Amino acid sequence: MTSVVTAGGVSVTIRGAVVDETETVLDRLVSDGVPGSLTSGHAGLWGPDAARAAARRLGWLDLPERSRGLLGRLAELVGEARGAGLDRIVLAGMGGSSLAPDVIARAGGAELTVLDTTDPHQVADVLADRLDRTLVVLSSKSGDTVEADAHRRVFERAFAEAGIGGADLRRRFVIVTDPGSPLEAVADAAGYRLVLADPNVGGRYGALSASGLVPCAVAGVDVVRLLDEAAALVPALQQPYDNPALALGAVLGSSALGGRDKLVVADNGSGLPGLDGWVEHLVAESTGKDGRGLLPVVVESVDAPGFDPAGDTRRIVLGSRPDEPVAGRDAELGVAGPLGAQFLLWEYATAVACRVLGVDPFDEPDVQESRDNTAALLRAEEGIAPTVVHTAPALVEGAVEVHARPESLKGAKDLAGVLEAAVTAAPDRGYLAVMAYLDRFGDASASGLRSLLAERGERLRKHAVPVTFGWGPQLLHTTGQYHKGGPPNGSFLQITGAVREDVEVPDRPYTLGQLQLAQAFGDQRVLRSLGRPAFRLHLRDRDEGIAQLTKVLTG
């Protein structure tokens, strides 16, 4: 059985038993009047405890029209940048402030350098590239993140060392932040260009807000087209039927209720590179709390290890259209359509799924604890507390140090045994999260460990273990909420690496390398305090260590 729901250029194709499983949830949503209540901004949809926050976080529904008020300001910024010869745009931001713009720029064929890391190697490479032509868009809704502070300080010093100051320096920054944030005060004091974000839109729901549009417009993307694509879907969102966003939300919600809480996501020709990562962020951080949630597992293709059917998964293909079969081993769900419409589609569907799950889609209560632990480590008398970070490894093999509690290692005597312990530590219906605090470009081959660990899991266990992969510290702002607030069934494998050449953070008692390590340890502290199995592999040499891990997993 196949059901296809289309509207506004978007199609959602549902196949097999999922059609019947979804029907009951969809009928309940319709009878409860959810489509009309949501589009009218009814804050009580997620219960009385969530109503206050929801009342301040539903502005994303109106962005296809309201964001057009930014177009004049965007034109000014583009003209000023081009007039000053600044044609290399760097976006410094985390989470929703970077993932959506990255997708928009890549889909629009524009060059946008996204800096969503504290890794000193990656930051140094960005600083070394065409600084004389660089404009930095510094985006942080809260304006108080440690990454935003570090990025601003590092770039200000780099510009000063290049002889760029005064009015020229003031032209080099565009700040995107909420009204009243600390970053707004910094922008006002320094004379940087400022675009205020909509305070009624949360970060992960802000793809069509200033957070998503400012960096991409300056980079040369036609953002009017993006808004037009989203606006075409708006009329359907009020409808009880022929509403692809409601249908998608019903699928997601019914899947979670039925115990299929892993969404294996593969791109199959969507033409929208990076959309899968944005979906992962939106769904995981919105739903993963109160011991519930949906975990997207992004895989490399429909043929990748880990896309196989398992008892607690739904397989989603991005790019499948209604006149084509859903590719990939009987995948149950295909989603296709233009980018602007897909942003709105997934935001609406995720909010609906949270209604079905009974969780608040707009808060992230477990994210702050990792930030607090990082701050505590950075405030330690000697920078990062040496007794916490520089502990003796449990095992050293070649270029890889192993740090883990003895009960987690299960007597492992070599690196192969450690990796098997990490895979098998995930309980039944659980998952393994690989968290790489490395340079996503210089150490890009580390991402290949996801599929290798998935293959190893298929050999070691009766049922395959879903394996996710994320780059730290970006993942703290994306899937981090799910890891700590979602179902307690994850196993966590951190990978950190030696720093060859560090980058100082001006007027702060730590370097970027120390900050990155503190972020890894701060998160690990939280995971361990929750009783989650957590392993850390430290690469004494990054290239050698990744090659060694690859060899062990392919041997």
Side-chain angles (χ1 to χ4, degrees):
M1 183 182 298
T2 300
S3 171
V4 180
V5 187
T6 62
V10 168
S11 68
V12 173
T13 304
I14 311 167
R15 291 184 61 204
V18 184
V19 176
D20 289 334
E21 293 171 9
T22 302
E23 187 173 343
T24 300
V25 171
L26 183 60
D27 287 344
R28 188 170 77 244
L29 291 169
V30 171
S31 66
D32 289 347
V34 170
S37 295
L38 182 53
T39 54
S40 64
H42 180 46
L45 282 171
W46 302 275
D49 292 341
R52 184 175 180 181
R56 305 191 307 270
R57 284 292 182 263
L58 287 169
W60 52 274
L61 288 159
D62 303 321
L63 288 177
E65 292 304 323
R66 199 168 65 252
S67 285
R68 295 177 194 272
L70 292 169
L71 297 179
R73 179 61 172 145
L74 295 179
E76 290 177 4
L77 293 173
V78 171
E80 291 168 357
R82 299 299 178 265
L86 304 179
D87 57 359
R88 187 220 179 200
I89 312 302
V90 173
L91 168 62
M94 306 295 293
S97 296
S98 64
L99 288 167
D102 186 36
V103 182
I104 296 168
R106 292 167 69 182
E111 180 189 1
L112 178 66
T113 299
V114 177
L115 192 62
D116 56 358
T117 184
T118 51
D119 185 87
H121 303 144
Q122 191 171 334
V123 174
D125 286 344
V126 172
L127 293 173
D129 181 18
R130 297 170 288 168
L131 196 64
D132 60 320
R133 294 161 48 190
T134 293
L135 181 147
V136 177
V137 178
L138 185 60
S139 183
S140 170
K141 280 187 63 64
S142 68
D144 63 357
T145 63
V146 66
E147 297 95 346
D149 178 73
H151 289 154
R152 176 182 62 82
R153 293 174 182 276
V154 167
F155 270 100
E156 286 177 338
R157 182 184 62 183
F159 285 133
E161 290 177 348
I164 298 169
D168 193 9
L169 176 63
R170 290 191 290 274
R171 283 193 292 266
R172 299 304 182 110
F173 286 93
V174 174
I175 308 297
V176 182
T177 190
D178 273 2
S181 80
L183 196 53
E184 181 189 11
V186 169
D188 287 341
Y192 297 149
R193 287 162 173 77
L194 175 68
V195 180
L196 292 177
D198 190 332
N200 295 314
V201 178
R204 59 185 173 276
Y205 287 82
L208 300 172
S209 72
S211 300
L213 302 184
V214 169
C216 297
V218 178
V221 175
D222 179 5
V223 297
V224 174
R225 178 178 177 180
L226 193 75
L227 296 174
D228 288 344
E229 292 169 351
L233 181 64
V234 169
L237 300 183
Q238 303 179 40
Q239 304 303 318
Y241 299 103
D242 298 325
N243 181 342
L246 187 68
L248 178 58
V251 172
L252 300 181
S254 66
S255 295
L257 292 180
R260 296 178 182 269
D261 60 355
K262 312 297 188 304
L263 307 175
V264 184
V265 182
D267 193 289
N268 192 53
S270 73
L272 304 173
L275 179 61
D276 47 8
W278 177 82
V279 169
E280 176 187 43
H281 168 217
L282 174 70
V283 174
E285 193 170 48
S286 297
T287 66
K289 57 204 73 168
D290 302 329
R292 287 165 277 181
L294 287 160
L295 178 66
V297 180
V298 176
V299 300
E300 297 78 12
S301 72
V302 295
D303 299 315
F307 198 77
D308 285 319
D312 60 348
T313 64
R314 286 278 185 242
R315 287 162 301 286
I316 302 176
V317 176
L318 303 178
S320 292
R321 301 184 180 279
D323 57 345
E324 300 172 342
V326 179
R329 301 174 190 168
D330 298 322
E332 298 97 340
L333 191 61
V335 181
L339 181 58
Q342 285 222 48
F343 280 145
L344 194 57
L345 171 93
W346 281 99
E347 289 165 353
Y348 183 109
T350 301
V352 168
C354 288
R355 155 85 178 191
V356 176
L357 278 169
V359 298
D360 180 351
F362 306 116
D363 71 344
E364 48 279 326
D366 298 290
V367 171
Q368 188 60 41
E369 191 172 359
S370 291
R371 296 177 183 174
D372 291 343
N373 278 340
T374 297
L377 287 167
L378 295 174
R379 286 195 304 268
E381 184 176 352
E382 297 182 48
I384 297 181
T387 57
V388 176
V389 175
H390 302 296
T391 54
L395 175 70
V396 178
E397 185 175 316
V400 182
E401 295 179 358
V402 177
H403 297 261
R405 290 175 173 172
E407 60 269 25
S408 297
L409 291 174
K410 301 177 183 178
K413 302 298 184 183
D414 56 18
L415 193 53
V418 171
L419 294 173
E420 291 186 2
V423 171
T424 57
D428 290 342
R429 306 178 70 84
Y431 66 99
L432 171 65
V434 183
M435 313 160 84
Y437 288 79
L438 300 170
D439 176 351
R440 75 165 60 206
F441 298 110
D443 304 319
S445 58
S447 64
L449 298 174
R450 192 216 67 80
S451 61
L452 296 176
L453 284 162
E455 288 179 339
R456 181 60 61 95
E458 290 175 357
R459 295 198 298 269
L460 289 172
R461 301 176 59 132
K462 182 178 180 181
H463 297 293
V465 178
V467 180
T468 69
F469 182 92
W471 296 100
Q474 170 71 287
L475 62 88
L476 299 177
H477 301 263
T478 56
T479 53
Q481 169 60 41
Y482 182 96
H483 293 327
K484 293 176 279 287
N489 57 11
S491 174
F492 300 90
L493 181 64
Q494 283 189 347
I495 305 175
T496 58
V499 174
R500 296 185 299 274
E501 186 173 349
D502 216 336
V503 175
E504 293 182 0
V505 181
D507 299 320
R508 289 289 184 264
Y510 50 81
T511 64
L512 287 182
Q514 291 173 327
L515 170 57
Q516 184 185 39
L517 196 58
Q519 291 174 308
F521 268 82
D523 197 45
Q524 188 178 88
R525 275 183 166 183
V526 180
L527 293 169
R528 287 183 171 175
S529 73
L530 294 170
R532 312 283 204 267
F535 305 76
R536 181 170 71 95
L537 306 181
H538 183 72
L539 311 182
R540 295 181 171 186
D541 180 281
R542 297 188 182 202
D543 292 339
E544 291 182 14
I546 295 170
Q548 187 178 340
L549 291 170
T550 302
K551 184 176 180 180
V552 168
L553 288 169
T554 54

